[in-house]
Amino acid sequence: MNKRGIRLLLGVVLTLLLFAVTACGTKSGGDGGGGASASPLAPSTAATVKPSDSPAPSAAAEGGPALEAIKKRGKLVAGVKFDTKLFGLKDPVSGKVEGFDVDIAKALAKQIFGDESKLELKEVTSKTRMPMLTNGEIDIIIATMTITEERKKEVEFSDVYFKAGQSLLVKKGSPIQSIADVKKGTKVLGVKGSTSVVNIKQKAPESTVLEFENYQDAFTALKAGQGDALTTDNAILYGMTKQDPNYVVVGGTFTDEPYGIAIKKGETAFVGYVNGFLKSLNASGEYAKLYEKWIGEKPPQ
Ligand code: GLU
């Protein structure tokens, strides 16, 4: 072996030695500050952790202070839509609020209390839902809410529980058949606080966007001829076509709108609890049942 070879070998041996020393340090010191170099050691490190080293099951592991407060109160207060057919719609005659999101809220109350009636449904709109959660008026938002980076600055989100995409609703026979037909002079109706109005202003900047307080007001305005199209998630628009079959959803989707359950910022243990709930809802087949009940087809795999 020449000199260069020996130096190279020495270098390798030294690096290995350093690696071994770091590994010893990690054993007793938790994750040792993490970093990329710690990750290849993780499996063997984990094997050396004694059962007594792992955190004791605590309130935090169960669902944290948020879940503790809900249990103490004796009911879950969920913010749901009252204006959105298929997800959360209040029947003006019976006063009942029904939909996919409402059923998810009931299932969560059942998981927490063993009783789905230990639930109060409070009306939220796209505009009021985040302030109501931050103020503590509601424990949770289950209301056709898209997970976005912007919203993540203010609230926590569960895993995705429904996949929608933005589309357009028009009167049958309308010259508007897709987003490409939304041009200068086209009046598009939407709802304040939704991603839909933000997106349409980007996708069709020349159009005029009129914003309403809720989806029933926007739909009434469309039917009254105040606009050429209504824009929001396809699933919400399908609900409107069930209310009035003279209206159709056109042109497919032009955004992705993954729905998440929103929880107050910092309540990460409760997020973990809700994600566990969503997993068990899926595993039990209950999720597929609710999906078919409201959306009318099997959930995508
Ligand atoms: N999913 C969209 C959003 O979170 C539109 C539906 C809604 O307004 O709730 O903004």
Side-chain angles (χ1 to χ4, degrees), residues 81 83-84 125-127 129 143-148 151 157 164 166 191-197 199 215 231-233 236 257-259:
K81 293 284 185 74
D83 66 334
T84 306
T125 65
S126 304
K127 193 179 78 179
R129 62 192 160 192
T144 66
M145 188 168 182
T146 301
I147 302 167
T148 69
R151 289 172 177 169
F157 279 107
Q166 189 169 343
V191 165
K192 289 176 191 169
S194 67
T195 52
S196 327
V197 291
N199 296 335
Y215 284 103
T231 191
T232 188
D233 303 336
I236 299 176
E257 307 290 332
Y259 292 177

Tab-separated table of all heavy atoms in Angstrom, residues 81 83-84 125-127 129 143-148 151 157 164 166 191-197 199 215 231-233 236 257-259, ligand 1:
chain	number	residue	atom	x	y	z
A	81	LYS	N	-70.608	23.464	9.415
A	81	LYS	CA	-71.375	24.347	8.536
A	81	LYS	C	-72.873	24.090	8.727
A	81	LYS	O	-73.281	22.944	8.981
A	81	LYS	CB	-70.999	24.079	7.074
A	81	LYS	CG	-69.560	24.462	6.700
A	81	LYS	CD	-69.446	25.962	6.561
A	81	LYS	CE	-68.077	26.401	6.065
A	81	LYS	NZ	-67.815	26.155	4.675
A	83	ASP	N	-74.769	25.621	6.256
A	83	ASP	CA	-75.180	26.137	4.948
A	83	ASP	C	-74.736	25.256	3.790
A	83	ASP	O	-74.841	25.659	2.640
A	83	ASP	CB	-74.577	27.539	4.762
A	83	ASP	CG	-73.056	27.507	4.672
A	83	ASP	OD1	-72.445	26.564	5.227
A	83	ASP	OD2	-72.473	28.404	4.042
A	84	THR	N	-74.207	24.073	4.109
A	84	THR	CA	-73.550	23.278	3.071
A	84	THR	C	-74.165	21.891	2.970
A	84	THR	O	-73.847	21.009	3.779
A	84	THR	CB	-72.029	23.185	3.369
A	84	THR	OG1	-71.527	24.517	3.529
A	84	THR	CG2	-71.278	22.510	2.242
A	125	THR	N	-69.015	29.687	9.627
A	125	THR	CA	-68.935	29.915	8.182
A	125	THR	C	-67.446	29.865	7.829
A	125	THR	O	-66.590	29.792	8.730
A	125	THR	CB	-69.508	31.295	7.783
A	125	THR	OG1	-68.667	32.305	8.367
A	125	THR	CG2	-70.946	31.463	8.248
A	126	SER	N	-67.162	29.940	6.552
A	126	SER	CA	-65.755	29.888	6.140
A	126	SER	C	-64.975	31.030	6.796
A	126	SER	O	-63.806	30.868	7.134
A	126	SER	CB	-65.665	29.987	4.621
A	126	SER	OG	-66.439	28.968	4.041
A	127	LYS	N	-65.646	32.159	7.000
A	127	LYS	CA	-64.979	33.337	7.572
A	127	LYS	C	-64.846	33.243	9.094
A	127	LYS	O	-63.844	33.676	9.651
A	127	LYS	CB	-65.781	34.589	7.196
A	127	LYS	CG	-65.054	35.891	7.459
A	127	LYS	CD	-65.880	37.099	7.043
A	127	LYS	CE	-66.952	37.423	8.078
A	127	LYS	NZ	-67.739	38.617	7.692
A	129	ARG	N	-64.903	30.460	11.141
A	129	ARG	CA	-64.445	29.232	11.808
A	129	ARG	C	-63.104	29.368	12.539
A	129	ARG	O	-62.979	28.881	13.666
A	129	ARG	CB	-64.437	28.052	10.830
A	129	ARG	CG	-63.532	28.190	9.660
A	129	ARG	CD	-63.782	27.132	8.592
A	129	ARG	NE	-63.228	27.596	7.336
A	129	ARG	CZ	-63.451	27.047	6.167
A	129	ARG	NH1	-64.198	25.976	6.059
A	129	ARG	NH2	-62.906	27.553	5.072
A	143	ALA	N	-65.524	21.269	9.019
A	143	ALA	CA	-66.352	22.132	8.175
A	143	ALA	C	-65.725	22.392	6.810
A	143	ALA	O	-65.337	23.511	6.498
A	143	ALA	CB	-66.610	23.459	8.902
A	144	THR	N	-65.643	21.369	6.002
A	144	THR	CA	-65.146	21.469	4.610
A	144	THR	C	-63.883	22.326	4.516
A	144	THR	O	-63.706	23.086	3.573
A	144	THR	CB	-66.215	22.043	3.649
A	144	THR	OG1	-66.504	23.410	4.003
A	144	THR	CG2	-67.487	21.234	3.625
A	145	MET	N	-63.014	22.173	5.491
A	145	MET	CA	-61.880	23.101	5.583
A	145	MET	C	-60.611	22.520	4.967
A	145	MET	O	-60.110	21.476	5.400
A	145	MET	CB	-61.630	23.442	7.045
A	145	MET	CG	-60.614	24.529	7.237
A	145	MET	SD	-60.658	25.068	8.946
A	145	MET	CE	-59.439	26.365	8.896
A	146	THR	N	-60.099	23.231	3.976
A	146	THR	CA	-58.876	22.810	3.298
A	146	THR	C	-57.661	23.073	4.173
A	146	THR	O	-57.552	24.133	4.793
A	146	THR	CB	-58.724	23.583	1.975
A	146	THR	OG1	-59.865	23.307	1.163
A	146	THR	CG2	-57.462	23.194	1.237
A	147	ILE	N	-56.767	22.096	4.196
A	147	ILE	CA	-55.487	22.258	4.892
A	147	ILE	C	-54.588	23.114	4.005
A	147	ILE	O	-54.309	22.738	2.864
A	147	ILE	CB	-54.814	20.879	5.113
A	147	ILE	CG1	-55.730	19.955	5.922
A	147	ILE	CG2	-53.450	21.037	5.762
A	147	ILE	CD1	-55.297	18.488	5.925
A	148	THR	N	-54.174	24.277	4.505
A	148	THR	CA	-53.241	25.104	3.730
A	148	THR	C	-52.083	25.546	4.628
A	148	THR	O	-52.231	25.605	5.850
A	148	THR	CB	-53.908	26.377	3.162
A	148	THR	OG1	-54.217	27.259	4.246
A	148	THR	CG2	-55.159	26.082	2.360
A	151	ARG	N	-53.085	28.639	6.674
A	151	ARG	CA	-53.942	28.340	7.838
A	151	ARG	C	-53.173	27.607	8.933
A	151	ARG	O	-53.490	27.746	10.109
A	151	ARG	CB	-55.159	27.513	7.387
A	151	ARG	CG	-56.143	28.338	6.582
A	151	ARG	CD	-57.249	27.473	5.985
A	151	ARG	NE	-58.220	28.300	5.285
A	151	ARG	CZ	-59.172	27.834	4.496
A	151	ARG	NH1	-59.274	26.531	4.294
A	151	ARG	NH2	-60.015	28.646	3.905
A	157	PHE	N	-53.860	20.959	12.096
A	157	PHE	CA	-54.754	20.149	11.279
A	157	PHE	C	-54.526	18.658	11.518
A	157	PHE	O	-53.387	18.228	11.727
A	157	PHE	CB	-54.535	20.416	9.787
A	157	PHE	CG	-55.223	21.644	9.266
A	157	PHE	CD1	-54.499	22.774	8.943
A	157	PHE	CD2	-56.606	21.666	9.104
A	157	PHE	CE1	-55.132	23.916	8.454
A	157	PHE	CE2	-57.249	22.799	8.620
A	157	PHE	CZ	-56.511	23.928	8.295
A	164	ALA	N	-61.246	17.010	-1.944
A	164	ALA	CA	-62.103	17.728	-2.886
A	164	ALA	C	-61.204	18.535	-3.835
A	164	ALA	O	-59.972	18.493	-3.727
A	164	ALA	CB	-63.047	18.648	-2.133
A	166	GLN	N	-61.509	22.356	-6.417
A	166	GLN	CA	-62.376	23.490	-6.779
A	166	GLN	C	-62.923	23.365	-8.195
A	166	GLN	O	-62.221	22.927	-9.110
A	166	GLN	CB	-61.609	24.800	-6.626
A	166	GLN	CG	-62.497	26.031	-6.773
A	166	GLN	CD	-61.802	27.302	-6.355
A	166	GLN	OE1	-60.780	27.257	-5.661
A	166	GLN	NE2	-62.328	28.435	-6.765
A	191	VAL	N	-67.620	32.605	-1.474
A	191	VAL	CA	-67.897	32.861	-0.056
A	191	VAL	C	-66.646	33.407	0.647
A	191	VAL	O	-65.535	32.919	0.436
A	191	VAL	CB	-68.436	31.569	0.614
A	191	VAL	CG1	-68.403	31.666	2.133
A	191	VAL	CG2	-69.864	31.290	0.138
A	192	LYS	N	-66.894	34.426	1.470
A	192	LYS	CA	-65.806	35.078	2.225
A	192	LYS	C	-65.056	34.065	3.097
A	192	LYS	O	-65.688	33.227	3.727
A	192	LYS	CB	-66.392	36.143	3.162
A	192	LYS	CG	-66.921	37.357	2.455
A	192	LYS	CD	-67.563	38.310	3.451
A	192	LYS	CE	-68.323	39.400	2.697
A	192	LYS	NZ	-69.170	40.213	3.573
A	193	GLY	N	-63.737	34.183	3.122
A	193	GLY	CA	-62.937	33.316	3.996
A	193	GLY	C	-62.633	31.957	3.407
A	193	GLY	O	-61.987	31.139	4.060
A	194	SER	N	-63.085	31.707	2.183
A	194	SER	CA	-62.812	30.394	1.568
A	194	SER	C	-61.550	30.466	0.715
A	194	SER	O	-61.168	31.544	0.239
A	194	SER	CB	-64.001	29.973	0.696
A	194	SER	OG	-64.130	30.825	-0.420
A	195	THR	N	-60.953	29.308	0.512
A	195	THR	CA	-59.811	29.246	-0.411
A	195	THR	C	-60.310	29.517	-1.834
A	195	THR	O	-59.557	30.010	-2.668
A	195	THR	CB	-59.153	27.850	-0.390
A	195	THR	OG1	-60.172	26.864	-0.599
A	195	THR	CG2	-58.450	27.576	0.914
A	196	SER	N	-61.587	29.205	-2.064
A	196	SER	CA	-62.156	29.318	-3.416
A	196	SER	C	-62.032	30.732	-3.988
A	196	SER	O	-61.710	30.900	-5.166
A	196	SER	CB	-63.632	28.921	-3.397
A	196	SER	OG	-63.885	27.921	-2.455
A	197	VAL	N	-62.305	31.751	-3.159
A	197	VAL	CA	-62.230	33.129	-3.688
A	197	VAL	C	-60.777	33.556	-3.925
A	197	VAL	O	-60.484	34.296	-4.866
A	197	VAL	CB	-63.001	34.159	-2.803
A	197	VAL	CG1	-64.494	33.944	-2.881
A	197	VAL	CG2	-62.523	34.176	-1.372
A	199	ASN	N	-58.348	31.432	-4.761
A	199	ASN	CA	-57.898	30.692	-5.953
A	199	ASN	C	-58.444	31.286	-7.251
A	199	ASN	O	-57.718	31.399	-8.235
A	199	ASN	CB	-58.333	29.230	-5.875
A	199	ASN	CG	-57.692	28.491	-4.719
A	199	ASN	OD1	-56.620	28.876	-4.244
A	199	ASN	ND2	-58.346	27.446	-4.242
A	215	TYR	N	-72.757	29.768	1.817
A	215	TYR	CA	-73.026	29.129	0.520
A	215	TYR	C	-74.475	29.204	0.082
A	215	TYR	O	-74.744	29.262	-1.121
A	215	TYR	CB	-72.492	27.684	0.529
A	215	TYR	CG	-70.990	27.699	0.390
A	215	TYR	CD1	-70.155	27.494	1.477
A	215	TYR	CD2	-70.407	28.030	-0.833
A	215	TYR	CE1	-68.782	27.587	1.349
A	215	TYR	CE2	-69.041	28.133	-0.971
A	215	TYR	CZ	-68.229	27.909	0.124
A	215	TYR	OH	-66.871	28.023	-0.014
A	231	THR	N	-68.303	29.476	-7.528
A	231	THR	CA	-67.131	28.607	-7.419
A	231	THR	C	-66.837	28.214	-5.983
A	231	THR	O	-66.866	29.039	-5.083
A	231	THR	CB	-65.885	29.236	-8.078
A	231	THR	OG1	-64.869	28.227	-8.155
A	231	THR	CG2	-65.341	30.441	-7.317
A	232	THR	N	-66.603	26.919	-5.798
A	232	THR	CA	-66.065	26.341	-4.568
A	232	THR	C	-65.735	24.878	-4.835
A	232	THR	O	-65.645	24.472	-6.010
A	232	THR	CB	-67.003	26.521	-3.357
A	232	THR	OG1	-66.278	26.094	-2.184
A	232	THR	CG2	-68.288	25.722	-3.449
A	233	ASP	N	-65.606	24.080	-3.766
A	233	ASP	CA	-65.230	22.676	-3.946
A	233	ASP	C	-66.317	21.898	-4.687
A	233	ASP	O	-67.515	22.099	-4.440
A	233	ASP	CB	-64.999	22.034	-2.576
A	233	ASP	CG	-63.935	22.774	-1.793
A	233	ASP	OD1	-63.103	23.444	-2.435
A	233	ASP	OD2	-63.954	22.697	-0.564
A	236	ILE	N	-69.179	20.349	-2.634
A	236	ILE	CA	-70.181	21.322	-2.162
A	236	ILE	C	-71.114	21.684	-3.316
A	236	ILE	O	-72.335	21.773	-3.147
A	236	ILE	CB	-69.492	22.586	-1.586
A	236	ILE	CG1	-68.609	22.222	-0.384
A	236	ILE	CG2	-70.520	23.653	-1.228
A	236	ILE	CD1	-67.810	23.366	0.197
A	257	GLU	N	-58.163	20.346	-2.827
A	257	GLU	CA	-58.670	20.852	-1.545
A	257	GLU	C	-58.773	19.693	-0.550
A	257	GLU	O	-59.842	19.120	-0.343
A	257	GLU	CB	-60.056	21.514	-1.739
A	257	GLU	CG	-60.122	22.588	-2.813
A	257	GLU	CD	-59.384	23.878	-2.467
A	257	GLU	OE1	-59.270	24.200	-1.271
A	257	GLU	OE2	-58.916	24.554	-3.408
A	258	PRO	N	-57.661	19.342	0.071
A	258	PRO	CA	-57.714	18.258	1.064
A	258	PRO	C	-58.290	18.770	2.399
A	258	PRO	O	-57.775	19.733	2.954
A	258	PRO	CB	-56.242	17.858	1.219
A	258	PRO	CG	-55.463	19.057	0.792
A	258	PRO	CD	-56.301	19.877	-0.129
A	259	TYR	N	-59.358	18.133	2.874
A	259	TYR	CA	-59.992	18.603	4.110
A	259	TYR	C	-59.312	18.021	5.342
A	259	TYR	O	-58.998	16.828	5.384
A	259	TYR	CB	-61.465	18.177	4.169
A	259	TYR	CG	-62.386	18.827	3.166
A	259	TYR	CD1	-63.732	18.462	3.108
A	259	TYR	CD2	-61.944	19.800	2.279
A	259	TYR	CE1	-64.607	19.039	2.200
A	259	TYR	CE2	-62.799	20.388	1.364
A	259	TYR	CZ	-64.134	20.003	1.322
A	259	TYR	OH	-64.983	20.573	0.415
B	1	GLU	N1	-62.500	23.942	1.190
B	1	GLU	C1	-62.479	25.320	0.923
B	1	GLU	C2	-62.036	26.135	2.121
B	1	GLU	O1	-61.644	25.606	3.087
B	1	GLU	C3	-63.825	25.828	0.422
B	1	GLU	C4	-64.992	25.371	1.221
B	1	GLU	C5	-65.290	26.287	2.381
B	1	GLU	O2	-65.463	27.498	2.170
B	1	GLU	O3	-65.373	25.790	3.506
B	1	GLU	O4	-62.034	27.311	2.101
